[in-house]
Amino acid sequence: MKRVFRAGLMGVAAAVALSGSALAADYPTKPIEMIVAFAPGGGTDVAARSIASFMEKHLGGGARIAVINKPGAGGEIGWTAVAQAKPDGYTIGFINVPAINALVVEGKAKFKMDDFQPIANLVYDPGVLVVGKNSPYQSVKDLVEAAKAKPGSIAIGTSGAVGSSEHITILNFERLADVKLTHAPFGGTAPVRQAVLGGHIPAATMNLSEALQLSREGEIRVIGVMSEERSDYLKDAPTFREQGYDVVAGSSRGIAAPKGMPADIVAQLEAAVDKALNDPEYLEAAKKAEIPLHYLASGDYKAFLDKSTADLEATWKVSPWR
């Protein structure tokens, strides 16, 4: 009886394995949803829409990917939707580091980082500090001096919420510059840009790719870039380091899926991203859209996510940002 029972279990296991392989071989047989946890028009949305059609091309078989925006709660709504989706390959999404890790570290998220299967990282986008075209602040030093004269009087807008990457960067900047600023979260790039353009806030942080067009049009002024060196995309904008403040920060954007997705499907999605990022047509499109590409394959991306979470846990113990 034991031998028969074991043989039965082995048969079931083999059937499941064959079934999974068959599903992977036919994948995809219906549209794939790619969830973006922020509103249309921001850097993540642009990156998602630019890569989706090329992933379709390299998945083959008439693959279709629909980009679905689910903004709110600093990304938590969209990321929860990815984490809780059925791991069948038909729901994937963009995740943003360090914002997603911060939610987990704070205990605000309905998910853990282990609830995600990393596919690939695509982008590393440095942060910038911007002001309106008529602002009296010509440099980071100007803003710091004004903030020291009236502590808490200068509001810095962000596209995220409390605990977002921009908020954590502001806290770090406050510490380094010995100033007190006021965080003004807007929950999306489009509204915070409009607030700067309308003069409703004196300054804002966002990612470089999100500020380029308006900066070149002269509608906003980038007074500091949070990278080690000046960006090739905006060579006239000085870094924070050049101005005496050791602020280096940014956001990575990558694709993840719910934990438990079949390995064969993970491999197909990873290969599609890899091929897209080596596709001359996509590279030209990314260059035109000024998307700062930074590719990490699934394994390297997992290691990066783990380290980012560990670093934030260490920071939280010393200086919680709630």
Side-chain angles (χ1 to χ4, degrees):
M1 284 292 292
K2 288 183 179 179
R3 283 196 296 271
V4 172
F5 182 64
R6 287 174 182 165
L9 285 178
M10 290 174 65
V12 170
V16 169
L18 285 171
S19 174
S21 298
L23 287 173
D26 294 337
Y27 176 81
T29 60
K30 61 181 181 179
I32 299 167
E33 287 193 353
M34 177 183 281
I35 294 174
V36 171
F38 298 97
T44 306
D45 183 67
V46 171
R49 294 181 189 279
S50 67
I51 195 70
S53 61
F54 288 91
M55 287 182 66
E56 291 174 343
K57 172 182 174 181
H58 293 291
L59 280 170
R64 290 290 177 266
I65 298 177
V67 177
I68 309 295
N69 296 88
K70 293 190 176 183
E76 198 265 345
I77 291 173
W79 295 327
T80 298
V82 176
Q84 295 181 353
K86 186 177 179 181
D88 57 3
Y90 292 99
T91 301
I92 59 177
F94 263 73
I95 61 174
N96 303 58
V97 174
I100 189 170
N101 319 69
L103 284 175
V104 172
V105 171
E106 291 175 58
K108 290 183 176 180
K110 297 183 179 72
F111 53 80
K112 305 182 297 295
M113 291 307 297
D114 287 343
D115 292 334
F116 296 95
Q117 166 61 57
I119 304 295
N121 188 73
L122 278 75
V123 170
Y124 182 77
D125 202 355
V128 295
L129 182 63
V130 307
V131 296
K133 63 181 179 181
N134 297 318
S135 170
Y137 309 129
Q138 300 293 324
S139 66
V140 174
K141 183 180 179 182
D142 288 346
L143 187 142
V144 167
E145 289 178 349
K148 285 187 175 181
K150 293 184 178 180
S153 64
I154 294 181
I156 307 293
T158 70
S159 61
V162 172
S164 66
S165 57
E166 291 104 327
H167 181 215
I168 294 169
T169 299
I170 289 171
L171 293 176
N172 189 38
F173 176 48
E174 284 183 318
R175 178 179 60 80
L176 292 170
D178 191 25
V179 294
K180 177 62 179 174
L181 302 167
T182 297
H183 177 220
F186 280 80
T189 302
V192 77
R193 280 192 299 219
Q194 287 302 315
V196 175
L197 289 170
H200 305 301
I201 52 173
T205 62
M206 59 190 69
N207 292 118
L208 176 65
S209 66
E210 298 166 336
L212 283 174
Q213 183 177 345
L214 289 174
S215 175
R216 288 172 179 159
E217 292 172 352
E219 295 299 317
I220 62 174
R221 186 163 58 248
V222 176
I223 61 173
V225 181
M226 303 171 194
S227 55
E228 295 181 356
E229 299 178 350
R230 291 196 181 199
S231 169
D232 290 338
Y233 291 117
L234 205 63
K235 292 183 179 180
D236 291 338
T239 66
F240 271 70
R241 279 186 172 179
E242 287 178 60
Q243 300 177 76
Y245 306 98
D246 190 18
V247 178
V248 177
S251 174
S252 83
R253 305 182 186 114
I255 299 173
K259 181 181 180 180
M261 181 179 289
D264 287 353
I265 293 180
V266 172
Q268 287 186 56
L269 289 167
E270 181 182 9
V273 175
D274 184 43
K275 289 175 182 177
L277 291 178
N278 285 286
D279 187 317
E281 188 180 354
Y282 173 72
L283 292 174
E284 182 62 25
K287 183 178 180 181
K288 287 182 179 179
E290 297 180 311
I291 299 171
L293 298 175
H294 182 71
Y295 176 68
L296 292 174
S298 179
D300 291 335
Y301 191 27
K302 173 70 164 59
F304 170 72
L305 292 172
D306 289 345
K307 184 180 185 305
S308 298
T309 302
D311 288 346
L312 280 174
E313 287 173 342
T315 300
W316 176 261
K317 289 177 182 178
V318 175
S319 181
W321 50 80
R322 194 178 275 146

